[in-house]
Amino acid sequence: MLRSTRIDLSAENRTALTALLNQELVLMTDLYLQTKLSHWNVQGPHFIAYHQLFDEIASHVLEAVDMIAERATTLGAAVDTCAQTISNTTTLAPWTASDRRDQVIIHRLADVIGDVANSMRRAIDEAAALGDADTADLFTEVSRQLDKDLWFVESHVN
Ligand SMILES: [Fe+2]
């Protein structure tokens, strides 16, 4: 149920926009958890470089999680990042701890960052089509940072 607001976007568009925001919020929360799992579990001769890089990326992702959640509540919706919702709705490949070698972890992390970055890029156009330049701008900011973080991760792939 949407809260009423003086923001002059239609309730129909706000419903679609907040569904989109919640969808990206689930992906970003999953990405945050997977990035921290990479930070904690990575093993190899360059451990400290990966450990620090993954934590830096996690902090960017967590900052974006807060911005996306608060845009949804600004538009009048509730947000939902409970563990069950993330588990039931994420489209990212699940984390596995079976192989902790750095090149395995970094390939996996590049894959999930790439998936979220590409979803975010699509969300920019969807938000713009719903008449919300502010949400499109937020997605653009997040998308640009994800692409940069992906560059850093891809540059460590053998
Ligand atoms: Fe840490």
Side-chain angles (χ1 to χ4, degrees):
M1 187 72 175
L2 280 182
R3 174 178 59 78
S4 69
T5 170
R6 289 163 182 77
I7 292 173
D8 65 353
L9 291 163
S10 70
E12 190 186 357
N13 281 20
R14 285 190 294 121
T15 298
L17 285 159
T18 53
L20 184 62
L21 284 155
N22 264 305
Q23 171 197 306
E24 297 306 311
L25 183 61
V26 162
L27 294 184
M28 288 293 280
T29 305
D30 189 2
L31 179 60
Y32 172 72
L33 294 170
Q34 295 207 31
T35 306
K36 286 301 264 195
L37 285 163
S38 304
H39 164 75
W40 292 319
N41 286 317
V42 67
Q43 291 186 342
H46 307 294
F47 166 80
I48 198 66
Y50 292 131
H51 179 71
Q52 288 173 349
L53 172 64
F54 297 158
D55 212 24
E56 233 173 86
I57 295 171
S59 74
H60 301 156
V61 174
L62 187 58
E63 202 177 315
V65 161
D66 199 52
M67 290 194 301
I68 294 167
E70 292 181 359
R71 182 63 189 164
T73 51
T74 296
L75 293 176
V79 289
D80 183 0
T81 55
C82 74
Q84 291 80 359
T85 301
I86 293 167
S87 172
N88 291 336
T89 58
T90 185
T91 53
L92 300 187
W95 169 265
T96 170
S98 59
D99 193 337
R100 297 165 61 185
R101 287 174 300 167
D102 50 16
Q103 282 299 316
V104 174
I105 295 242
I106 209 142
H107 270 97
R108 285 202 67 264
L109 192 59
D111 286 344
V112 288
I113 294 173
D115 286 346
V116 181
N118 293 331
S119 175
M120 201 64 64
R121 204 175 339 278
R122 289 191 293 273
I124 297 168
D125 294 338
E126 289 176 44
L130 290 163
D132 186 356
D134 299 294
T135 297
D137 179 67
L138 189 157
F139 286 148
T140 303
E141 181 181 346
V142 176
S143 167
R144 186 168 51 241
Q145 185 64 56
L146 283 169
D147 283 356
K148 186 173 180 183
D149 288 335
L150 181 59
W151 164 43
F152 274 52
V153 172
E154 286 178 336
S155 296
H156 287 82
V157 173
N158 271 342

